[in-house]
Amino acid sequence: MEDIKILIIYTAAYILSFITGRAGLSALSAACLIGIAVFIYLKEKQISKELLNLRGLMALGLLGGEGIARLQLSNLSTDWTLSTWGSFYIFYLIFYFTSKYAEQLLNQKHFIKISSLTDSKKSKLFIFKVVILSVTFLSWVCFFFEAWKLQFIPLFTVDTPHAYSYFHLKGIHYFTTLAILIPGVTMLYIDQRHKLSLLPDIISGIGLFAPLILCVLLVSRFQFMFAAILAIFVTTVSGKKYKLWQILILGILLILVYVIITIERAHSVEYLNGIFEMKDPQTPIFITQPYMYIANNYDNFNVMTQELSLHSCGLKMLYPVITLTGLKFLFPSLGMAFPLFTNKEELTTVTLLYDAWYDFGIAGVIIFAIILGLVTGIILYVHNKDVNPFSRLIYAELAFYFSFSFFTTWFSNPATWFYLGFSVLFYMAYHISDRFY
């Protein structure tokens, strides 16, 4: 009965958003989608008792982003096609119920054997120390190698808005940025020390600050935000409850660093305003920039549904496999670049669903929703049952990707699978160490 209620409310919200949007009532169209996003998040939070509940975060990130896009505050905004509306509606609906029923089935049948490790052994801290120090060292070595080979460091370039984009050596750069996982791992390490009545040590400081300093040198806003937010997510998933003043301080610090990195990338207010084309030119940049970084992604998806004439038949979503296995070097045609459909050359970010639709149209969106729903159901089951602390790292990564599902096609990005792959290796190393201690 509860599922039918969700289905009816969800469908009604979309229909109302569609009707009011076509009538030119942008604010009402936006309110419908933002309202259903908040409703589902709060419902899932009530059921799971988790602030970072995956189905709820996907609703806030994807549906909430759709609602913000429907405000149509920029001249770049357009009326969505029926394909766009249909894709957005069907994806979350299928994802929601697939993940929910997969989790329920696993809970009933116990198909997956869960670790019964005791996570309070002092000897287990050794695994954390090895991971923190080795990955941090590896990333810094790769960074200095790239800097030596390319003859520049992004932070110290002048008047080059896209310096980070040029700071990239094939294969090496994956390891340079691998350190963004380490603040999250460090928070797990600190939590383990706390359980053993031990205070944070020098390794804790290295694990928290060395990767963040590296992100600043790279002038990468995404890498910095990912590393910092992942660490916060890990502590939240581990049971840490932040007070309001702590949340405010964390938010102010993140915004401050974000602004500093933006300045260092030589992105002036005039430059950004000229790109965003807001209907009200007097809109403050601190509203314009986050708005456009969310809203325009959906309009880019809409442009694709209008202009794409030939689907990529799976090559877009399989790009991580083609890249990480080296198949693109053996078969260059597999690594071919497909045209990116956007409403402005400078605004290239897209939504989570972009590549799925690019591959097979709305059928690709449905397939992607089923697969991601099944994986989410499994992760939720493991998260609730497993005591291996690295399961919390994997959960926190998915929480990040779902929260920012409006921003890019995370799961057809090789870096996403590279980071998740190493997180699984950390998980396995911790599990195997139980046999030796």
Side-chain angles (χ1 to χ4, degrees):
M1 192 65 184
E2 190 66 27
D3 290 344
I4 295 175
K5 178 182 175 182
I6 293 288
L7 175 61
I8 292 173
I9 295 174
Y10 177 81
T11 303
Y14 259 91
I15 292 174
L16 285 172
S17 181
F18 175 79
I19 293 173
T20 53
R22 287 299 173 94
L25 303 173
S26 299
L28 283 177
S29 181
C32 292
L33 294 177
I34 294 173
I36 191 61
V38 173
F39 172 78
I40 292 175
Y41 170 79
L42 293 176
K43 193 73 177 176
E44 286 296 308
K45 180 177 180 292
Q46 181 184 32
I47 295 171
S48 66
K49 311 301 181 186
E50 292 264 12
L51 183 65
L52 299 178
N53 61 87
L54 294 185
R55 283 187 289 270
L57 290 177
M58 177 69 89
L60 288 181
L62 196 64
L63 305 183
E66 291 170 26
I68 290 173
R70 294 309 304 154
L71 288 170
Q72 297 185 302
L73 301 179
S74 168
N75 289 316
L76 297 174
S77 300
T78 57
D79 288 332
W80 289 351
T81 64
L82 291 177
S83 293
T84 298
W85 279 104
S87 297
F88 292 160
Y89 168 77
I90 200 68
F91 174 81
Y92 187 79
L93 188 68
I94 293 176
F95 165 81
Y96 178 87
F97 287 110
T98 301
S99 62
K100 186 173 184 179
Y101 292 143
E103 182 185 8
Q104 289 176 355
L105 183 62
L106 289 171
N107 278 320
Q108 291 170 3
K109 303 297 184 181
H110 303 290
F111 285 135
I112 300 176
K113 186 177 180 181
I114 295 299
S115 169
S116 58
L117 303 175
T118 55
D119 62 350
S120 60
K121 293 182 180 179
K122 185 176 291 189
S123 55
K124 288 291 183 65
L125 294 177
F126 176 74
I127 298 299
F128 287 100
K129 293 177 181 178
V130 169
V131 169
I132 292 169
L133 294 178
S134 61
V135 173
T136 301
F137 177 76
L138 175 64
S139 291
W140 275 92
V141 168
C142 290
F143 166 75
F144 283 122
F145 178 77
E146 287 192 291
W148 169 72
K149 198 74 175 176
L150 298 171
Q151 294 295 296
F152 77 96
I153 292 175
L155 181 64
F156 303 125
T157 56
V158 180
D159 297 327
T160 307
H162 304 290
Y164 173 66
S165 301
Y166 306 122
F167 192 83
H168 190 102
L169 292 179
K170 288 183 178 180
I172 301 297
H173 198 66
Y174 286 120
F175 293 97
T176 300
T177 60
L178 185 61
I180 63 175
L181 294 178
I182 297 307
V185 173
T186 302
M187 296 311 298
L188 291 174
Y189 173 62
I190 292 173
D191 182 59
Q192 296 295 101
R193 292 184 66 86
H194 178 72
K195 291 178 180 177
L196 296 166
S197 301
L198 298 173
L199 294 173
D201 57 1
I202 189 170
I203 294 177
S204 305
I206 292 172
L208 285 177
F209 295 107
L212 296 179
I213 293 171
L214 186 59
C215 293
V216 174
L217 290 172
L218 290 171
V219 197
S220 174
R221 292 172 297 187
F222 164 71
Q223 303 290 352
F224 181 88
M225 298 297 284
F226 183 95
I229 293 174
L230 183 65
I232 295 170
F233 277 14
V234 165
T235 57
T236 303
V237 171
S238 299
K240 167 74 173 178
K241 296 187 183 298
Y242 289 97
K243 296 178 181 179
L244 180 60
W245 66 269
Q246 292 174 316
I247 294 174
L248 290 174
I249 290 176
L250 287 171
I252 291 170
L253 288 175
L254 286 176
I255 292 171
L256 179 63
V257 176
Y258 182 91
V259 170
I260 291 172
I261 294 176
T262 298
I263 293 171
E264 290 299 326
R265 289 183 70 164
H267 284 174
S268 67
V269 172
E270 292 76 14
Y271 169 80
L272 293 173
N273 277 335
I275 291 173
F276 295 151
E277 296 187 28
M278 300 298 285
K279 291 178 179 177
D280 180 2
Q282 303 303 316
T283 306
I285 191 64
F286 64 85
I287 294 177
T288 298
Q289 189 168 14
Y291 167 78
M292 287 300 290
Y293 273 25
I294 296 173
N296 200 70
N297 306 333
Y298 297 91
D299 289 311
N300 283 341
F301 183 98
N302 190 56
V303 170
M304 175 185 58
T305 65
Q306 294 172 312
E307 299 183 3
L308 180 66
S309 58
L310 185 64
H311 292 291
S312 50
C313 299
L315 291 180
K316 290 283 283 182
M317 289 297 290
L318 286 176
Y319 184 71
V321 176
I322 295 170
T323 298
L324 296 176
T325 60
L327 285 174
K328 71 176 182 179
F329 300 110
L330 296 175
F331 306 99
S333 60
L334 293 177
M336 63 183 291
F338 293 93
L340 185 66
F341 299 95
T342 62
N343 55 18
K344 194 146 190 178
E345 184 181 358
E346 297 88 347
L347 301 175
T348 58
T349 53
V350 294
T351 72
L352 187 71
L353 311 185
Y354 191 92
D355 284 354
W357 203 96
Y358 206 121
D359 274 342
F360 300 108
I362 197 165
V365 171
I366 292 171
I367 293 169
F368 181 44
I370 293 171
I371 294 173
L372 192 57
L374 289 173
V375 171
T376 300
I378 294 171
I379 294 296
L380 287 169
Y381 172 74
V382 173
H383 169 66
N384 290 326
K385 304 293 183 182
D386 204 343
V387 298
N388 187 320
F390 284 102
S391 66
R392 300 200 291 272
L393 177 68
I394 298 170
Y395 183 96
E397 286 176 68
L398 284 184
F400 178 90
Y401 298 136
F402 288 4
S403 298
F404 293 88
S405 53
F406 57 81
F407 186 67
T408 192
T409 55
W410 296 112
F411 298 103
S412 55
N413 184 338
T416 297
W417 292 105
F418 188 76
Y419 302 146
L420 284 171
F422 265 89
S423 299
V424 172
L425 288 178
F426 302 157
Y427 176 96
M428 293 172 63
Y430 187 91
H431 183 78
I432 292 171
S433 68
D434 189 53
R435 299 180 180 180
F436 299 96
Y437 296 111

